[in-house]
Amino acid sequence: MPLPRPGSWSLEKAAWSTRPLSFKRPIASATTPWRPAVVLDEWVLKEARPISLRQLTFFGRTLTENRLLSSANYVRTELPTRLAHRLRDMQTLPFVVVTNPHMSHVYNLYYKAFETLRRITEIKSVEDNEQYCKVVSETLQEHLTVIPRLAMGVLECQDLMRAADMDRFINTLLRSRISRRVIAEQHISLTETFNSAWHFPNAMPQVDPNSEFVGEVFLRCNAREVVEACWDRASTLAKEAYGPSCVLPDIAIEGHLDATFPYILSHLQYVVGELLRNSIQAVVERRPMLTSGPPPIEVLICEAPQHVIIRISDQGGGIPNEVMPELWSFSKGPRSHTHLENLSQVPKMAATMQELNSSHRTSTGDGKNRSYDGSLGSLTSRPPNLRLGMGLPMSRVYAEYWAGLLEVQSLEGYGVDAFLQISKLGNRNEQLSTRASMDAV
Amino acid sequence: MPARPGTLDSCLIRIVCPLKRRSRQLATATHPLPRNQPWSHPPASTSIDNDQVARLASRPLHLLTLADLVRHGRPPLSASALFTSANFTLSLLPIRLAHRIQALRNLPFIVVSNPHISRIYNNYIHSLSTLLPYQERQINTLEEEIQFTEVMADLVQTHADTIPILARGFLECRKYISPADVTKFLDEHLRARIGTRLIAEQHIALHLSSQPHCNNTNNTHYPQDGSSSCIGVIDTALRPAEIIRHCETFVSDICELKYGARPRVIINGQPSTRLAHVPTHLEYILTELLKNAFRATVEAGQSREPIEVTIAASPSPTVPPVPDAIARTSPSLQQREEEEEAITRATPPPLPPPPGVVTIRIRDHGGGISPTNLRNIWAYSFTTFGEEEVLDLSHNGNGNMDALNAISGANSSGESSSLAGLGYGLPLGRAYAEHFGGGIVVQSLWGWGTDVYLRLRGLGEMG
């Protein structure tokens, strides 16, 4: 494929647009397909329109065909816009970073998705929407490998960029990724709700006002129940990893046990799961066993008018001082070498989870048995001794996505307190990075 | 009241270092002493050349470390070690004072015109003037050293009440200067003050502990057999748990006087932890933090709930961690005790291994700090007490005693003893903690309680 001549981009653009989408140069580590930047420029100029949890649920409560199509068209333009911003970010990274095989893999995935999604014309009918949902679903599936590959790319490129810049880039990228998946999955979920009512008019009404789920949003996440469920899961995994003879700590939950709020359940389960996993691991691996058994992990749930705080306290010996400065970084840390090795084991897990994902879409009204978002699922069910080194930074991205907070205080030599603050009302917008704030940086 | 190592007792100084005249008239000062002079307008003249101040202020500030303070050896010091200490002090202080004078001069005119602020300003001028005569000299004789220590004592005494006086001054000037500017000035000023006082107090303490006539005055501060863990104002075997109990008593008393309730304090974690630090600093910080915790607990109606204090020490890098079930004391203590026996007084302490971190977590069930208030907790003079209470308080700091003060006794830094604060407790506590590389972090669980994390860096294992 000849390189475009300077000034001839319009001709090349015509040529490019007639190429079948499946055509791709084999990805070599030193070269990536040359694509004209003009199309991207147009989309980069558009601003993303952030949404709030409340809007997501409110919108989905009364589903009519019009609303569904409206939702579809919102997603139709939002996805390519948000993708375009991230693509431009990647393009401005150092050449040597983007040509890293892992980073390049992610870049090409994103570009392919962008090219596919931006071409979709206005959705005017339910059939159009069906087709659209299919395309989006496929893209979501394809992108399951993004997180592990990205993480590996970041670790391999440690010395090629300033850690602070890299962290900022990754945080923005991940935040955007969550946002795209949230709106995409929400729409797909609403489509399913709509369809099930459409095809079975005698079944439950389109909208069950008492339904606990609106799409992916679980209206009544009870903090205590979520903690208990995550605890069960984490303990089971720990037992598998450490063997049946290992004595696990107990959990003690106190505080405002009735605290309930709307949230995307899979996000909450991921973050709480990560924190509990860290605590169990610390207690089991680092604290010598006392004759009285391992000290319990204490969870406190605190409810205030505008937020709920979950505090998880363990006596696992604390976080060593040398790790603290890089605790929230994706790219640094004294153990990054081990993490890199471990990460290479995760993509295989993503592949197996894909099979499980085909049964991911349960019918609405199923309530609490929702399984995870596919990529989160693969991460959440990895064995606890597979240290990836990104549980905390990832958790923070998820926590902050709906304007929450995640903070960790270490008492070195004793244990750790983790504070997860969740905005309860659901009226805070997604925390995206706008172009303005990116340019200002 | 048993004397604690490191506290300055001006009476003791006067017994031990007699001079012809005990009054403030030092031979070299031509500047009238500020305390006797009512100022209603900015000072018209000083005895210090602006050149001097500018010259000194242009020199960089030395970042004080705990190692600096102990480098002269374990008391009692030899004469030459004392001279070294004096000269070292002399090399640092004039520069520090000059920086403060310059910072004060840069405050708005109307602020420095306030009688309280201007009084502090003149204190600094006065102190610098007492040090200028030493500029070109080194201290080489015992007489000079005694005289110098006397100057140090005067400095410490003169500036003892700086904080309440400044607080009152800024309160009166709040119309003319923004809270943000006040915080910025005070943060820098009070942090510098901590270091300056420490340098001066350390020299005085080393001097006192090295005098042969200490034996004759029934002095319990500095036993001569070298068994004291103190090097001047630093206690190398400081037990935070002990300080906490001491502060708890103090704060409980005033809490009971004010509220009629007396929450209790539970200490868990590793209570036998020891570290090398300045006891007076730790006392101040813990008193302030406990005051906050007690007040919140009682006002939230939770006085039956204990306040939980957890002490954690990072494991020593040289000794493998010993499981709790086997050893009651931390490995660091065992190693330290062995080392202390082996060491002789005269040799300077060996270079300490990397400092460990001691974390003290204070957890209360007092309802937490509201998000609105949380934004302001690090600002100086932000307090949730009413203005009358605060004005009352700073007035008390100037001499009027009420029953509370009379019973509980003001502590050495001149802060009056009441649960009501000037709003300085948190920011000043943090300044003390950060001075040697520690810090304070506050986590509020609004609707439940507050967790405060105090981190301290000691000198690690002190020989």
Side-chain angles (χ1 to χ4, degrees):
Chain A
M1 195 186 323
L3 288 174
R5 296 182 304 285
S8 69
W9 277 11
S10 51
L11 290 176
E12 289 300 329
K13 184 179 168 195
W16 275 88
S17 59
T18 57
R19 292 196 189 283
L21 286 170
S22 54
F23 177 83
K24 230 198 312 254
R25 285 169 67 175
I27 298 168
S29 58
T31 56
T32 45
W34 180 263
R35 301 178 178 97
V38 165
V39 173
L40 196 61
D41 288 344
E42 284 169 26
W43 285 89
V44 166
L45 283 175
K46 302 186 201 209
E47 278 289 342
R49 292 174 290 160
I51 201 169
S52 75
L53 200 62
R54 195 183 274 183
Q55 286 166 341
L56 270 184
T57 52
F58 189 73
F59 191 79
R61 273 189 176 282
T62 35
L63 270 184
T64 59
E65 187 175 317
N66 269 342
R67 281 226 164 160
L68 191 67
L69 298 180
S70 197
S71 162
N73 283 308
Y74 169 75
V75 179
R76 181 182 71 89
T77 48
E78 277 305 304
L79 289 186
T81 307
R82 297 179 186 201
L83 272 171
H85 292 161
R86 301 289 70 76
L87 281 168
R88 181 45 47 86
D89 279 349
M90 285 197 90
Q91 288 172 342
T92 54
L93 288 181
F95 181 80
V96 66
V97 168
V98 187
T99 47
N100 170 278
H102 303 296
M103 301 295 268
S104 165
H105 169 90
V106 173
Y107 178 72
N108 282 304
L109 267 181
Y110 275 19
Y111 221 113
K112 178 170 171 231
F114 171 70
E115 288 288 305
T116 312
L117 294 173
R118 73 171 174 93
R119 289 193 165 94
I120 295 174
T121 50
E122 194 186 341
I123 297 161
K124 295 192 173 116
S125 71
V126 171
E127 290 75 30
D128 286 344
N129 183 47
E130 283 303 310
Q131 181 58 21
Y132 180 63
C133 286
K134 195 153 157 291
V135 171
V136 169
S137 273
E138 280 165 8
T139 314
L140 288 181
Q141 289 284 75
E142 222 180 356
H143 285 218
L144 282 176
T145 53
V146 163
I147 292 181
R149 294 299 294 267
L150 199 62
M152 285 194 281
V154 165
L155 287 176
E156 286 183 5
C157 293
Q158 261 185 52
D159 302 320
L160 303 174
M161 252 180 89
R162 276 182 26 215
D165 293 335
M166 181 62 97
D167 279 331
R168 199 174 339 118
F169 165 73
I170 295 290
N171 270 295
T172 312
L173 195 117
L174 287 176
R175 226 177 297 138
S176 180
R177 183 174 186 278
I178 296 173
S179 78
R180 293 192 310 273
R181 293 184 89 88
V182 161
I183 60 181
E185 298 205 337
Q186 183 69 354
H187 176 73
I188 292 172
S189 200
L190 291 180
T191 302
E192 283 171 25
T193 309
F194 184 82
N195 283 345
S196 61
W198 190 261
H199 290 125
F200 306 102
N202 296 325
M204 65 177 174
Q206 257 174 336
V207 141
D208 177 4
N210 295 323
S211 157
E212 290 174 319
F213 274 88
V214 175
E216 289 295 303
V217 181
F218 184 29
L219 294 177
R220 287 201 280 274
C221 289
N222 174 273
R224 181 173 60 102
E225 283 170 16
V226 173
V227 170
E228 283 173 348
C230 293
W231 176 255
D232 287 336
R233 204 168 291 114
S235 313
T236 314
L237 286 170
K239 276 212 163 56
E240 282 170 22
Y242 295 117
S245 58
C246 160
V247 183
L248 294 183
D250 284 327
I251 191 170
I253 308 177
E254 63 162 350
H256 303 144
L257 301 176
D258 295 329
T260 304
F261 47 89
Y263 214 74
I264 295 191
L265 190 59
S266 58
H267 291 189
L268 192 57
Q269 286 169 329
Y270 174 70
V271 177
V272 173
E274 281 300 306
L275 296 176
L276 288 176
R277 177 201 293 265
N278 283 349
S279 289
I280 295 177
Q281 181 147 10
V283 171
V284 167
E285 289 184 4
R286 293 202 220 136
R287 290 288 272 191
M289 285 306 140
L290 304 177
T291 45
S292 51
I297 292 171
E298 293 169 348
V299 177
L300 175 80
I301 299 170
C302 163
E303 186 174 23
Q306 297 194 341
H307 53 243
V308 169
I309 301 179
I310 300 174
R311 178 183 73 192
I312 299 175
S313 300
D314 68 60
Q315 290 180 44
I319 298 172
N321 228 14
E322 74 262 15
V323 175
M324 283 307 292
E326 313 298 341
L327 197 64
W328 301 107
S329 172
F330 285 97
S331 60
K332 278 272 180 220
R335 302 191 194 132
S336 47
H337 194 68
T338 328
H339 297 156
L340 199 52
E341 285 166 13
N342 290 342
L343 273 168
S344 55
Q345 298 178 45
V346 175
K348 293 186 197 135
M349 297 177 71
T352 41
M353 284 313 290
Q354 271 174 321
E355 278 100 316
L356 290 175
N357 282 341
S358 57
S359 57
H360 164 64
R361 299 261 156 247
T362 57
S363 54
T364 49
D366 203 356
K368 301 180 176 78
N369 292 330
R370 292 246 154 175
S371 55
Y372 301 121
D373 167 329
S375 63
L376 275 185
S378 71
L379 287 175
T380 317
S381 48
R382 73 183 189 280
N385 45 5
L386 197 67
R387 301 312 305 268
L388 300 180
M390 42 177 241
L392 277 179
M394 273 284 286
S395 297
R396 187 177 253 185
V397 178
Y398 276 99
E400 290 181 351
Y401 177 66
W402 292 115
L405 290 171
L406 180 61
E407 195 51 71
V408 162
Q409 294 297 336
S410 161
L411 292 93
E412 197 183 348
Y414 182 80
V416 160
D417 295 337
F419 295 84
L420 172 62
Q421 179 173 307
I422 296 158
S423 174
K424 212 171 80 173
L425 303 175
N427 59 351
R428 302 286 306 276
N429 275 354
E430 318 163 82
Q431 301 295 296
L432 302 172
S433 297
T434 58
R435 274 314 320 157
S437 63
M438 292 293 317
D439 293 337
V441 150
Chain B
M1 183 166 84
R4 284 184 313 278
T7 48
L8 270 188
D9 194 332
S10 43
C11 302
L12 184 66
I13 297 170
R14 277 146 177 72
I15 294 169
V16 168
C17 312
L19 259 197
K20 288 179 293 226
R21 284 173 297 179
R22 299 303 319 164
S23 75
R24 317 310 188 76
Q25 291 166 15
L26 295 165
T28 49
T30 55
H31 189 253
L33 293 159
R35 278 172 187 253
N36 302 330
Q37 202 74 312
W39 288 99
S40 59
H41 53 86
S45 65
T46 69
S47 65
I48 296 188
D49 258 339
N50 282 339
D51 273 354
Q52 294 267 36
V53 176
R55 181 180 58 83
L56 286 167
S58 67
R59 306 252 292 273
L61 281 173
H62 172 93
L63 267 154
L64 194 65
T65 64
L66 273 175
D68 281 335
L69 297 172
V70 302
R71 63 157 67 159
H72 307 291
R74 212 176 251 288
L77 300 181
S78 63
S80 63
L82 264 181
F83 299 155
T84 317
S85 168
N87 289 317
F88 177 67
T89 306
L90 201 47
S91 69
L92 297 180
L93 282 186
I95 299 172
R96 297 182 78 96
L97 293 176
H99 275 254
R100 294 296 91 230
I101 292 170
Q102 231 183 27
L104 280 159
R105 284 179 175 176
N106 283 331
L107 283 175
F109 176 81
I110 188 169
V111 169
V112 190
S113 306
N114 174 280
H116 303 288
I117 311 278
S118 120
R119 174 173 162 181
I120 300 300
Y121 174 72
N122 282 292
N123 285 351
Y124 276 91
I125 298 279
H126 160 71
S127 295
L128 185 56
S129 71
T130 62
L131 286 178
L132 285 176
Y134 288 90
Q135 279 290 278
E136 307 303 316
R137 309 175 356 213
Q138 289 272 293
I139 292 167
N140 293 318
T141 69
L142 269 175
E143 233 175 62
E144 286 175 342
E145 197 270 330
I146 290 175
Q147 198 177 49
F148 177 72
T149 305
E150 170 66 16
V151 170
M152 290 293 98
D154 177 71
L155 183 129
V156 168
Q157 186 68 2
T158 307
H159 295 263
D161 293 330
T162 301
I163 293 177
I165 297 174
L166 274 182
R168 189 174 180 117
F170 279 115
L171 194 60
E172 290 177 3
C173 289
R174 62 196 178 284
K175 283 201 282 265
Y176 314 124
I177 181 172
S178 73
D181 286 339
V182 171
T183 296
K184 189 159 165 289
F185 171 79
L186 278 176
D187 229 8
E188 204 184 280
H189 190 88
L190 294 181
R191 281 163 195 263
R193 180 178 179 270
I194 293 170
T196 307
R197 284 182 86 73
L198 206 49
I199 296 169
E201 287 174 349
Q202 179 68 347
H203 178 76
I204 296 171
L206 288 173
H207 171 98
L208 288 179
S209 63
S210 309
Q211 298 306 303
H213 43 259
C214 268
N215 278 332
N216 303 336
T217 55
N218 226 358
N219 178 16
T220 53
H221 284 222
Y222 307 105
Q224 289 300 294
D225 58 358
S227 65
S228 165
S229 54
C230 293
I231 300 178
V233 296
I234 296 169
D235 186 349
T236 56
L238 189 58
R239 259 187 87 224
E242 213 173 275
I243 306 251
I244 290 166
R245 285 293 174 214
H246 182 83
C247 297
E248 177 196 356
T249 316
F250 177 73
V251 175
S252 292
D253 285 343
I254 50 186
C255 188
E256 186 157 30
L257 274 169
K258 182 170 171 116
Y259 293 105
R262 205 180 171 103
R264 56 197 170 90
V265 170
I266 293 177
I267 300 180
N268 55 28
Q270 299 154 322
S272 53
T273 301
R274 288 177 185 268
L275 81 160
H277 218 270
V278 183
T280 46
H281 288 189
L282 197 51
E283 223 174 75
Y284 175 75
I285 301 169
L286 286 168
T287 305
E288 292 302 313
L289 296 181
L290 284 177
K291 274 190 199 173
N292 287 345
F294 272 62
R295 180 192 167 200
T297 302
V298 171
E299 290 192 354
Q302 297 281 352
S303 40
R304 294 204 183 283
E305 289 282 326
I307 289 158
E308 188 192 335
V309 178
T310 309
I311 302 176
S314 63
S316 157
T318 50
V319 177
V322 180
D324 289 334
I326 299 171
R328 290 305 301 151
T329 56
S330 59
S332 55
L333 175 62
Q334 288 174 330
Q335 196 191 30
R336 195 203 320 287
E337 281 170 343
E338 283 157 27
E339 274 191 280
E340 280 184 12
E341 283 165 26
I343 212 150
T344 61
R345 260 173 267 136
T347 56
L351 275 179
V357 177
V358 168
T359 313
I360 300 173
R361 176 184 68 196
I362 301 174
R363 202 171 249 190
D364 70 60
H365 193 29
I369 304 171
S370 75
T372 335
N373 285 344
L374 199 55
R375 274 192 285 262
N376 295 324
I377 55 174
W378 300 112
Y380 286 93
S381 76
F382 174 76
T383 172
T384 44
F385 277 102
E387 190 172 301
E388 289 121 36
E389 261 172 314
V390 179
L391 277 175
D392 221 25
L393 182 81
S394 47
H395 201 51
N396 283 341
N398 287 356
N400 294 345
M401 288 283 243
D402 70 356
L404 267 179
N405 282 338
I407 293 169
S408 18
N411 61 26
S412 65
S413 48
E415 273 100 67
S416 38
S417 44
S418 144
L419 277 183
L422 298 165
Y424 281 49
L426 269 180
L428 192 52
R430 187 169 68 169
Y432 276 114
E434 287 180 356
H435 199 257
F436 291 121
I440 297 180
V441 174
V442 170
Q443 288 281 355
S444 159
L445 295 105
W446 179 226
W448 185 267
T450 308
D451 288 0
V452 177
Y453 299 82
L454 166 63
R455 294 194 175 89
L456 301 166
R457 276 186 189 275
L459 255 182
E461 310 296 81
M462 268 298 307

